[in-house]
Amino acid sequence: QVQLVESGGGSVQAGGSLRLSCAASGYTYGGNWMGWFRQAPGKQREWIAAVYTRGINTRYAEFVKGRFTISQDNARNTVYLQMNSLKSEDTAMYYCAAAEVGRPVRFPWGADRVNYWGQGTQVTVSS
């Protein structure tokens, strides 16, 4: 059974940084897209960034380019999201997401095209 477990959320002041982690288990890591979404209260879940777990291919939503960086550690089956220059509007629940191995993903990645979700980790940015 595929499991995605996020960690690293918390509260930070505007301008600060956080690093989120997503540990994947239950399948042979590699050969699929993994990424991060977020959902603020009253808003739709939106895609942030994605990484292909075999290689160095990354993709970003326009609104986070230059502030957020997605990366992965194959040895740890873990995907990271480094978030810098955080703003109050970045406050949301952040979710790790994964597609099935071998399944292509069209970007921007729609939430309805995600196969697996983590439980979410809260990020709160105070101004």
Side-chain angles (χ1 to χ4, degrees):
Q1 183 177 356
V2 175
Q3 281 194 313
L4 305 175
V5 179
E6 302 103 330
S7 61
S11 297
V12 65
Q13 288 193 329
S17 299
L18 284 173
R19 189 177 81 156
L20 307 182
S21 300
C22 172
S25 62
Y27 71 104
T28 301
Y29 186 89
N32 68 317
W33 284 96
M34 291 187 65
W36 292 92
F37 286 69
R38 69 184 185 185
Q39 188 167 21
K43 294 188 176 181
Q44 289 189 329
R45 194 168 296 191
E46 64 179 351
W47 168 67
I48 300 169
V51 60
Y52 191 66
T53 57
R54 185 174 294 153
I56 58 172
N57 198 352
T58 58
R59 301 290 297 270
Y60 293 92
E62 283 296 325
F63 69 89
V64 296
K65 279 187 177 179
R67 295 195 301 129
F68 294 4
T69 303
I70 192 168
S71 61
Q72 59 159 340
D73 184 339
N74 288 78
R76 291 182 168 81
N77 293 359
T78 299
V79 174
Y80 304 96
L81 185 68
Q82 177 67 42
M83 304 186 294
N84 298 327
S85 302
L86 284 162
K87 308 174 183 178
S88 57
E89 51 262 45
D90 294 318
T91 295
M93 185 71 78
Y94 283 69
Y95 295 92
C96 182
E100 294 275 11
V101 173
R103 181 177 183 178
V105 172
R106 184 171 294 179
F107 296 97
W109 193 356
D112 60 339
R113 305 298 290 175
V114 172
N115 296 112
Y116 304 102
W117 292 103
Q119 82 284 357
T121 186
Q122 178 68 36
V123 171
T124 302
V125 184
S126 58
S127 56

